[in-house]
Amino acid sequence: MTNERERNTILVLGGTGKTGRRIVKRLQESAVPVRAASRSAAQPFDWANRATWAPVLQGVGTVYVSYYPDLAVPGAPETVGAFTELAVASGVSRLVLLSGRGEEEAQVSERLIQSAGVEWTILRSSWFSQNFSEDYLLEPVLGGEIVLPVGNVPEPFVDADDIAEVAVAALTEDGHAGQIYELTGPRLLTFAEAIAEISTATGRRIEFVQVSPDDYADALTAEGTPSEVVELLMYLFTTVLDGRNAHLDDGVQRALGRPPRDFADYVTDTAATGTWDRG
């Protein structure tokens, strides 16, 4: 890392999200200047409000780009492209993009990052293990029944801590520029198998119920879920979870020189925190 890069702040978009807050914590522990960007920050950042972009880019040399809600949603490439242009014009020399594994739509944004004329690294992540403990699947786990429109297609669940560690390496070290890291766990699991492991670790009966995509979408709509969220979830559960990602990759090993964390370790550690205990 050059002296110039050491003087530059690292901007972490989505700084309060699952990967973002883990990245911020690691950078702070290493005394690396970091700016956590979110809508609730003192200097707010909002993808939907371009007036918030330039202020958070001041004095920044490196950016972790995490787009909300997902790079596959309509309009994402235009927004990411506009931000990338502004970032480069503002002096940013390195971009690390969190992308989705197997998402052809996300690859449009990837190409915009790759053609920006600065150092870039792409992190294509599998389904986060932490979706069962820090996201919309937590309540179903606590309730003892998880209803999803998925069958026996296996998924290489990846730990958010592994993603964060790879991101920090790409943000702060040399040797990661021009790399596309496909980030997976070390083992393929169906959702039913993953839920069974959580059930065993918690000592509680947690049922997995498979429903049709139409029934799932209707249930979400009946609960008042916004239509754009319903569309995104259906895309992730049907199009992306069609078997295209049912294989392991070596992104974590290549980036960090160690194997990825196993889903069983995530389950054991999470169960020990009491997160899955019913009140």
Side-chain angles (χ1 to χ4, degrees), residues 86-104:
L86 179 61
V88 173
S90 300
V92 168
S93 59
R94 180 179 291 193
L95 296 164
V96 177
L97 175 69
L98 178 64
S99 187
R101 190 168 184 251
E103 295 184 18
E104 294 177 5

Side-chain angles (χ1 to χ4, degrees), residues 209-273:
V209 179
Q210 181 182 353
V211 296
S212 71
D214 287 344
D215 287 346
Y216 186 70
D218 289 344
L220 290 175
T221 301
E223 292 170 1
T225 305
S227 60
E228 63 271 17
V229 176
V230 174
E231 291 174 8
L232 174 59
L233 289 173
M234 295 311 299
Y235 167 78
L236 295 175
F237 279 125
T238 56
T239 301
V240 178
L241 202 64
D242 64 356
R244 69 183 65 185
N245 289 330
H247 60 278
L248 306 178
D249 218 310
D250 63 352
V252 174
Q253 181 72 47
R254 286 198 296 122
L256 303 178
R258 65 162 177 81
R261 191 171 181 230
D262 193 83
F263 187 79
D265 296 323
Y266 154 75
V267 169
T268 299
D269 291 349
T270 303
T273 67

Side-chain angles (χ1 to χ4, degrees), residues 10-28 34-47 56 63-68 98 134 164 171:
I10 294 178
L11 175 64
V12 177
L13 302 183
T16 58
K18 277 195 290 295
T19 61
R21 68 173 180 271
R22 288 173 163 84
I23 294 167
V24 170
K25 182 174 183 291
R26 284 166 170 76
L27 293 173
Q28 290 174 333
V34 58
R35 181 176 302 153
S38 69
R39 285 176 293 183
S40 60
Q43 179 65 66
F45 174 85
D46 187 345
W47 279 110
V56 300
V63 182
Y64 175 72
V65 182
S66 174
Y67 183 78
Y68 181 84
L98 178 64
E134 300 177 17
L171 290 165

